[in-house]
Amino acid sequence: MIATENLTKRYPRVTALDRLTLDIAPGVVGLVGANGAGKSTLIKILLGLSAASEGRARVLGLDVVTEGSRIRERVGYMPEHDCLPPDVSATEFVVHMARMSGLPASAARERTADTLRHVGLYEERYRPMGGYSTGMKQRVKLAQALVHDPELVLLDEPTNGLDPVGRDEMLGLIRRVHTDFGISVLVTSHLLGELERTCDHVVVIDGGTLLRSQSTAEFTQATQTLAVEVTDSEQHPHGADAVLSELQAAGLTALADGHLLLVEIADESTFDTVRDAVTGLGLGLVRMEQRRHRIAELFRPDEVGAPAAAGAGATAVGIPGTGTTADATTTHEGSRSDAGAVKH
Amino acid sequence: MPVPSSTSPATEAAKGRIHNIGYRHYDGPRLGRSYATRSLLVQSLRGAYGLGRSAKSKVLPMILFAVMCMPAGIIVAVAVFTKMKDLPLDYTSYAIYLQAVIGIFLAAQAPQAVSRDLRFKTVPLYFSRPIERIDYVFAKFAAMTGAVFILTAAPLVVLYIGALLAKLSFGTQTKDFAAALLAALLLSLLYAGLGLVIAALTPRRGFGVAAIIALFTISYGAVSSVQAIAGEQGNETVAGWLGLFSPVTLIDGVQSWALGAEPSSPAGPPNAFAGTVFVLVLLGAIAGSFGLLLLRYRKVGLS
């Protein structure tokens, strides 16, 4: 779908991309990197709008230098920044954009109605866009990228500026673009947590170089751990410590991290052992959730595999990724998902 | 369009879950770059007269269009009723006399055509479509030229029809009318080019409006008054050459030398060499503004 070879882009002062070689298969692909890592530069080159200093790139089998116009006919692009004129309605705007992609007038109108409905915009679409919420604007931006039924959409930071609920809805929508519409997606973000559960494959770039390119399944194959939080009682003022010694006696690998216990999951019986240990001591079980290593740890390779990485990849048992949107570049304090917590 | 089944509660209930009707792929024609360019041209041209935009944005261009045509209507009415031998006004001088109206129209609509796209950052969206930079510039340039041409040519058509109704000489009238149309086209190209270059420099519409009005009125005011002084002192040659320095007098110089019109400004090009220079400067200014626009949009691109 996208193939680059030694792609390099130098600006007078900085090197935005440094010999980037990628081969991206169809599906939902996340492009992760801190601000200034070269994500937007890569998108510009892929759309044939900016010439690479060195190297080659092909999108949908078309060369970006010589066939830019044909690429743009079959690719959709959702920019990061606001791009909607406030005095025009969503319908008028998207119809115009459809025609700009080469759709005849009647097809443009029909596809606009369809696409706006698919992104979840109904009666509002006849009102001027100036009065829209950020979430609605993001939907219109997505709709204009999809209206000509592209084979691939490039989404630049689509969740920027959205609240957690809006973010989840947008991520769900992006997932559907691939599963329901059959359109491949390249989505950029500087938030790793959200790409982990949206994408099939994640490409991490930093300073214009490729850090890692891997399927999300591989990322999460690392050791599974169980985070356990218990209450204290008069008998056991340090509940966690008491449970820890109990578990170690039972032959499990575990360690305390503040008031949390991190237990390595050996097999299914680990859950029972933990439950029995806690109830045996007469303590309350506040939380028990399964965790996996988060993509975020790529940025701190020294800690990969260390279960002590506080708050590592909180993905609650049974309900995958409920509201986990940690900013990977700054903090590991993922929003505490207590959806899977077992309470006594 | 088929009724979406997702809106029918009965279907939903029957299936026991919310079901979105499937995504339909588009297999129809994709008309590509030249069609997209034409679409942008038509949209921008209509937009210059407020068509396809809010009622409020139709007011000014429509009033200006009416103001532009009204004198022509009056002249024609007078000519027909008083059975004149000739129109009291040359076709070619019409735009010169009403240059203020054209200036206001340009000042209001050129920023509308380009500043909006810059201010709301819609330009990157256009460039993510099949069109290239030159197509965008071409579409905007052609649309603005068309808008100004409609404004300047419509009263000429009124005059011409009136002249024929008044049974003036068909041959002379047609010849003069054709020359005036050509002059109107050149004027439209020049005005559109200059107006767009100024407007494209700033995403702020207000600045664009002010700068365009300033360019046209100040340059004309300065040139025509210096020309008048030079003329007073009997220096016709200098006065003629000065005409190069304002858009209106440049057009007047070209139409009086190349199209055989009566000069409407204090002095036209003094000789054949000057006339050629006028024509070259005019064409150079049109091509130059197109080039400057291309250059300007190379910087905008994405981002």
Side-chain angles (χ1 to χ4, degrees):
Chain A
M1 190 175 74
I2 298 172
T4 70
E5 201 179 300
N6 275 328
L7 202 62
T8 304
K9 177 74 184 178
R10 280 187 218 96
Y11 289 109
R13 290 220 204 110
V14 286
T15 302
L17 292 177
D18 193 5
R19 282 161 298 161
L20 191 66
T21 300
L22 283 176
D23 193 359
I24 296 175
V28 183
V29 178
L31 180 62
V32 191
N35 291 329
K39 290 171 293 177
S40 299
T41 307
L42 180 60
I43 286 189
K44 273 191 239 176
I45 293 177
L46 293 180
L47 285 170
L49 297 172
S50 174
S53 315
E54 265 169 52
R56 277 175 302 180
R58 294 178 82 77
V59 177
L60 304 170
L62 300 164
D63 189 272
V64 293
V65 179
T66 54
E67 296 166 296
S69 182
R70 285 191 58 209
I71 290 176
R72 294 195 295 275
E73 200 172 74
R74 295 162 65 192
V75 170
Y77 166 64
M78 171 177 174
E80 177 182 358
H81 54 73
D82 202 6
C83 58
L84 309 174
D87 52 349
V88 181
S89 76
T91 300
E92 288 172 86
F93 180 72
V94 178
V95 167
H96 178 56
M97 281 301 151
R99 300 189 59 173
M100 291 308 299
S101 297
L103 266 59
S106 58
R109 275 193 299 275
E110 209 169 298
R111 292 262 337 152
T112 296
D114 271 13
T115 313
L116 285 174
R117 186 168 46 76
H118 279 300
V119 301
L121 224 70
Y122 303 96
E123 290 311 310
E124 313 90 303
R125 65 178 189 261
Y126 301 113
R127 288 199 323 229
M129 295 188 286
Y132 285 12
S133 67
T134 311
M136 283 156 72
K137 283 183 183 165
Q138 292 298 88
R139 284 163 196 266
V140 181
K141 280 164 63 180
L142 181 62
Q144 65 80 28
L146 293 172
V147 71
H148 55 299
D149 189 27
E151 287 167 50
L152 165 71
V153 277
L154 308 175
L155 312 177
D156 203 353
E157 302 271 359
T159 55
N160 242 8
L162 295 176
D163 59 21
V165 177
R167 201 169 273 252
D168 280 347
E169 285 174 357
M170 179 52 73
L171 290 171
L173 205 50
I174 291 169
R175 191 68 223 165
R176 274 187 48 217
V177 167
H178 177 60
T179 53
D180 296 4
F181 307 173
I183 297 171
S184 287
V185 179
L186 179 73
V187 49
T188 76
S189 180
H190 57 279
L191 302 176
L192 295 154
E194 60 183 34
L195 290 183
E196 191 180 48
R197 59 208 161 90
T198 313
C199 301
D200 306 319
H201 193 98
V202 172
V203 174
V204 186
I205 57 172
D206 190 32
T209 54
L210 181 67
L211 219 57
R212 207 179 268 202
S213 170
Q214 223 170 0
S215 79
T216 28
E218 282 174 57
F219 274 118
T220 52
Q221 266 174 2
T223 330
Q224 301 275 307
T225 50
L226 195 63
V228 181
E229 190 182 339
V230 296
T231 57
D232 300 330
S233 68
E234 279 179 28
Q235 223 177 337
H236 303 285
H238 278 282
D241 289 346
V243 176
L244 178 65
S245 44
E246 195 76 3
L247 291 175
Q248 279 167 342
L252 286 173
T253 313
L255 57 88
D257 176 39
H259 61 289
L260 270 183
L261 279 176
L262 296 166
V263 186
E264 197 171 298
I265 301 172
D267 52 48
E268 286 293 305
S269 68
T270 305
F271 298 95
D272 296 336
T273 316
V274 171
R275 182 199 60 204
D276 295 343
V278 174
T279 47
L281 291 165
L283 300 172
L285 185 54
V286 178
R287 171 202 303 262
M288 181 159 91
E289 65 188 26
Q290 202 172 341
R291 294 190 169 177
R292 61 188 179 191
H293 294 298
R294 214 169 40 185
I295 300 167
E297 288 160 10
L298 287 174
F299 282 96
R300 317 194 310 176
D302 49 327
E303 286 180 34
V304 171
T315 302
V317 179
I319 304 170
T322 316
T324 330
T325 46
D327 188 332
T329 53
T330 55
T331 166
H332 266 219
E333 207 178 332
S335 60
R336 283 281 157 78
S337 158
D338 47 9
V342 182
K343 291 208 174 188
H344 257 237
Chain B
M1 213 179 65
V3 179
S5 63
S6 61
T7 55
S8 151
T11 344
E12 273 174 31
K15 290 186 177 165
R17 64 192 177 108
I18 295 172
H19 190 268
N20 204 315
I21 69 154
Y23 180 83
R24 290 181 300 173
H25 283 284
Y26 175 73
D27 310 315
R30 290 171 195 267
L31 305 174
R33 198 178 142 181
S34 62
Y35 167 83
T37 310
R38 276 202 310 280
S39 299
L40 182 60
L41 197 165
V42 171
Q43 194 241 14
S44 304
L45 178 56
R46 283 166 51 87
Y49 283 94
L51 302 172
R53 293 171 60 211
S54 65
K56 210 174 61 186
S57 48
K58 292 182 181 65
V59 176
L60 183 68
M62 290 306 175
I63 287 179
L64 291 177
F65 185 77
V67 168
M68 195 72 189
C69 291
M70 209 153 48
I74 296 169
I75 290 170
V76 162
V78 172
V80 170
F81 283 108
T82 58
K83 305 207 174 355
M84 284 185 183
K85 289 278 186 298
D86 198 0
L87 289 177
L89 182 81
D90 284 337
Y91 291 110
T92 40
S93 356
Y94 196 89
I96 311 291
Y97 285 135
L98 285 166
Q99 53 166 299
V101 181
I102 308 173
I104 294 171
F105 179 85
L106 186 75
Q109 303 308 319
Q112 190 277 127
V114 287
S115 312
R116 275 171 49 88
D117 288 351
L118 290 172
R119 178 148 57 116
F120 304 126
K121 294 185 180 156
T122 328
V123 178
L125 280 189
Y126 285 119
F127 291 153
S128 74
R129 287 351 215 218
I131 62 166
E132 305 281 347
R133 189 157 43 101
I134 191 168
D135 300 326
Y136 180 84
V137 171
F138 170 79
K140 291 290 180 186
F141 204 117
M144 206 60 231
T145 304
V148 178
F149 184 70
I150 290 172
L151 189 74
T152 44
L156 299 181
V157 173
V158 173
L159 284 178
Y160 180 62
I161 293 173
L164 296 187
L165 286 177
K167 302 210 165 45
L168 301 181
S169 155
F170 179 77
T172 341
Q173 291 301 325
T174 310
K175 195 171 121 302
D176 291 355
F177 175 62
L181 277 188
L182 183 58
L185 181 64
L186 289 173
L187 179 143
S188 308
L189 283 166
L190 179 68
Y191 271 50
L194 296 176
L196 289 177
V197 166
I198 295 171
L201 285 179
T202 167
R204 301 279 295 273
R205 194 162 167 266
F207 287 157
V209 172
I212 293 172
I213 291 195
L215 172 82
F216 281 90
T217 52
I218 293 176
S219 66
Y220 179 71
V223 166
S224 56
S225 48
V226 177
Q227 272 183 332
I229 295 167
E232 284 287 310
Q233 294 174 340
N235 206 336
E236 289 290 330
T237 318
V238 172
W241 279 104
L242 282 169
L244 280 175
F245 298 100
S246 103
V248 187
T249 49
L250 178 63
I251 288 287
D252 191 54
V254 169
Q255 67 185 12
S256 57
W257 181 74
L259 301 172
E262 283 291 306
S264 311
S265 52
N271 50 43
F273 172 65
T276 319
V277 171
F278 267 67
V279 173
L280 289 178
V281 167
L282 173 64
L283 296 179
I286 294 169
S289 40
F290 193 88
L292 282 175
L293 282 172
L294 272 182
L295 215 59
R296 165 69 177 136
Y297 282 98
R298 193 171 67 185
K299 291 215 162 179
V300 180
L302 277 194
S303 80

